[in-house]
Amino acid sequence: MLTVQGLSTRVLKPASFRLDAGECVAVQGPSGAGKSVLLRAVADLDPSVGDVRLDGMRREDMTAPDWRRRVTYVPAESGWWADRVDAHFPFPDRAVPLMEALGLPAEALDWPVARLSTGERQRLALVRALSQGPRVLLLDEPTGALDRESTARVETLLRAELARGVGVLIVTHARDQADRLAHRRLRVEGGEVREV
Amino acid sequence: MPLIPLHPLDLAAAALLLLVNGGLSVAMSLRLARPLAVAAVRMVVQLSLVGLVLKQLFALQSPWLTLAVVMVMLLFAGQEALARQERRLTGWWAYGLGTGAMGFAATVVMLLALTTAIRPDPWWDARYAIPLLGMVLGNAMSGVSLALNTLTSAAVRERAAIEAQLALGCTRWVALRPVLRHALRTGLMPTVNGMAATGVVALPGMMTGQILSGVDPTEAVKYQILIMFLIAGATGLGVLIATLGAVRRLSDGRHRLRLDRLARKD
């Protein structure tokens, strides 16, 4: 589904790999190795060179917003641009079931963003991305701020997405999480990406 | 009623008032005595030179000389706007964007005023064009530099929020709209406040000057109203061009946020 050929930035050495529909690939490596750089480059959020395709379509053949709605990056630290939570969700009826799956009440849509805990923000950011129905998810430590129960809920939700054919590229420091979710692994070290 | 001429001794007497400020600085060890003295001397020298230049300029009646003075004023305004930027765009953009926006806005507004409202003969008569441009440019410069400063610092501060929208597939114009609105409001606020307070809190300098030189107050007021509209128009146009240009420069055709196009803060 997603094919990456010779993708490189100023930090990233040319990387090539593929991600099939319904497949989860874990991205691992020490801090500062370029894991987030890799995800941002795939999402076209930083200037990069290389051939990146979704179902054979080059990303340059569609507008960048179209590309990012299909190949969606969820950063480790979520960003919020309005005061209230619901302003970030254009399709609340799609978001509510996802929120409930992650242990968040539907009323959370009425909360002010400033009231959210780090963990709530992280889960809502994932819901926000999922409610747009992306083909590929680029997740940067999606459970970094979550307790064990919330982590399990996120993993259950991700398995459901994988079963629907969504491809997931996930940066995780937790080895056991990679064991539970990932079909394959990429190792990033010093800007170099290789399959393990 | 003719203007009462001022003798240099009258000015010297008024300069004694600065001794109050100087004394305050010494007493409270504000260390302002030197800067105060330097600023006062600069003010006297600069204004005296400007007086001589304007006198020559008005006497010579040369369109090219007038244009040259206009250009010098614009380049200085651009330099001043640049100096007020905390985070600058890299390369020529830092100077070019603000200067270009002010230059375009001031040109449009000045042409409008000189060819429709005031209509001096010739239309570029320096006695009208230069003082009007000074007022228009001074205000446009404040607005443009405030707006650009707000835009760049807000883009840096709101990076996570902007990129969150971009990552979800919003265009750069949608993602940067909150920052753009904030910058436009900040740039236009002094002009709006200035119009609201004029005549109640502050008597504008130009109007005061006309009244002192014997012009009927109702005529002076009409000129002042015209000037306020010119200032509002030029500031609005300049701020709009500068901020839209900066949003374009801080993002690219693939709708990425390009904070790498801002120079690093020292």
Side-chain angles (χ1 to χ4, degrees):
Chain A
M1 180 170 54
L2 182 78
T3 55
V4 177
Q5 287 278 321
L7 177 68
S8 69
T9 70
R10 275 189 317 177
V11 185
L12 202 65
K13 290 170 189 148
S16 300
F17 59 90
R18 53 178 292 131
L19 179 71
D20 290 324
E23 191 183 28
C24 178
V25 171
V27 180
Q28 296 185 294
S31 298
K35 304 186 294 293
S36 303
V37 175
L38 173 67
L39 261 51
R40 289 177 59 92
V42 173
D44 208 5
L45 279 166
D46 288 324
S48 60
V49 293
D51 187 87
V52 184
R53 293 168 189 252
L54 182 69
D55 298 328
M57 261 255 269
R58 287 171 59 231
R59 59 180 178 182
E60 287 77 16
D61 292 338
M62 52 182 107
T63 67
D66 280 342
W67 175 260
R68 293 185 199 125
R69 270 192 289 271
R70 293 174 172 86
V71 179
T72 304
Y73 171 60
V74 184
E77 239 169 86
S78 57
W80 303 86
W81 56 90
D83 290 339
R84 274 162 52 101
V85 172
D86 58 356
H88 301 83
F89 290 86
F91 313 107
D93 40 330
R94 276 192 236 164
V96 167
L98 295 164
M99 287 167 64
E100 282 167 350
L102 293 185
L104 293 159
E107 300 88 72
L109 284 176
D110 299 326
W111 294 349
V113 169
R115 207 191 110 177
L116 300 174
S117 71
T118 316
E120 285 166 341
R121 281 174 201 233
Q122 198 159 30
R123 282 179 284 166
L124 281 168
L126 182 62
V127 169
R128 194 167 67 181
L130 278 174
S131 64
Q132 296 201 118
R135 304 285 318 279
V136 174
L137 271 175
L138 309 168
L139 304 177
D140 202 342
E141 301 200 46
T143 59
L146 302 185
D147 58 27
R148 193 181 291 183
E149 194 207 320
S150 298
T151 302
R153 284 174 180 273
V154 167
E155 289 178 5
T156 306
L157 185 61
L158 289 181
R159 268 189 215 100
E161 292 293 323
L162 289 165
R164 286 179 43 227
V166 173
V168 176
L169 199 58
I170 181 172
V171 170
T172 175
H173 277 298
R175 237 214 159 115
D176 50 332
Q177 184 165 54
D179 290 339
R180 288 192 298 269
L181 282 175
H183 304 104
R184 284 187 297 123
R185 290 162 203 243
L186 293 176
R187 177 123 192 115
V188 183
E189 227 159 337
E192 206 170 336
V193 181
R194 56 191 172 79
E195 300 233 15
V196 277
Chain B
M1 186 184 78
L3 183 67
I4 305 166
L6 292 177
H7 191 269
L9 276 180
D10 303 328
L11 300 181
L16 290 177
L17 287 173
L18 283 186
L19 290 179
V20 179
N21 300 25
L24 184 68
S25 169
V26 172
M28 304 286 288
S29 53
L30 301 176
R31 294 193 188 180
L32 278 176
R34 247 185 88 87
L36 187 73
V38 172
V41 170
R42 268 189 68 165
M43 186 266 290
V44 171
V45 172
Q46 286 169 1
L47 283 181
S48 306
L49 287 176
V50 164
L52 290 176
V53 168
L54 289 182
K55 194 168 181 173
Q56 276 298 312
L57 188 66
F58 297 169
L60 287 173
Q61 287 275 8
S62 154
W64 299 112
L65 207 57
T66 307
L67 182 65
V69 171
V70 167
M71 291 310 291
V72 169
M73 287 168 71
L74 179 61
L75 295 182
F76 269 106
Q79 185 58 46
E80 186 61 27
L82 178 69
R84 297 185 193 177
Q85 303 300 311
E86 221 179 310
R87 290 175 187 276
R88 298 172 183 180
L89 292 165
T90 47
W92 270 95
W93 284 89
Y95 184 75
L97 184 61
T99 313
M102 282 188 287
F104 180 79
T107 305
V108 168
V109 166
M110 290 299 296
L111 287 180
L112 189 78
L114 291 176
T115 57
T116 64
I118 306 176
R119 273 186 269 181
D121 184 32
W123 65 268
W124 45 264
D125 187 355
R127 203 163 69 81
Y128 287 89
I130 299 298
L132 286 179
L133 179 70
M135 282 183 283
V136 166
L137 211 49
N139 285 276
M141 181 190 72
S142 302
V144 164
S145 58
L146 263 176
L148 281 179
N149 201 30
T150 306
L151 188 91
T152 51
S153 45
V156 171
R157 195 180 62 235
E158 299 295 328
R159 176 190 175 144
I162 295 165
E163 290 209 316
Q165 285 197 281
L166 293 175
L168 290 166
C170 294
T171 65
R172 52 173 158 167
W173 297 107
V174 171
L176 281 155
R177 187 154 63 198
V179 170
L180 177 64
R181 279 171 43 101
H182 183 39
L184 283 171
R185 281 187 67 91
T186 309
L188 292 178
M189 212 34 105
T191 304
V192 175
N193 290 342
M195 281 201 284
T198 297
V200 188
V201 183
L203 278 188
M206 183 192 75
M207 197 176 94
T208 315
Q210 280 191 304
I211 293 172
L212 285 180
S213 61
V215 173
D216 179 351
T218 55
E219 286 304 311
V221 161
K222 280 193 266 178
Y223 258 88
Q224 188 59 43
I225 290 173
L226 175 71
I227 272 291
M228 295 304 269
F229 286 146
L230 298 184
I231 285 172
T235 308
L237 197 57
V239 164
L240 186 68
I241 295 171
T243 49
L244 288 180
V247 164
R248 259 191 91 86
R249 181 65 188 158
L250 285 178
S251 56
D252 64 21
R254 292 296 289 175
H255 301 270
R256 305 176 187 115
L257 182 63
R258 297 298 299 270
L259 293 181
D260 56 316
R261 289 176 180 168
L262 281 180
R264 243 171 248 163
K265 213 169 164 181
D266 325 306

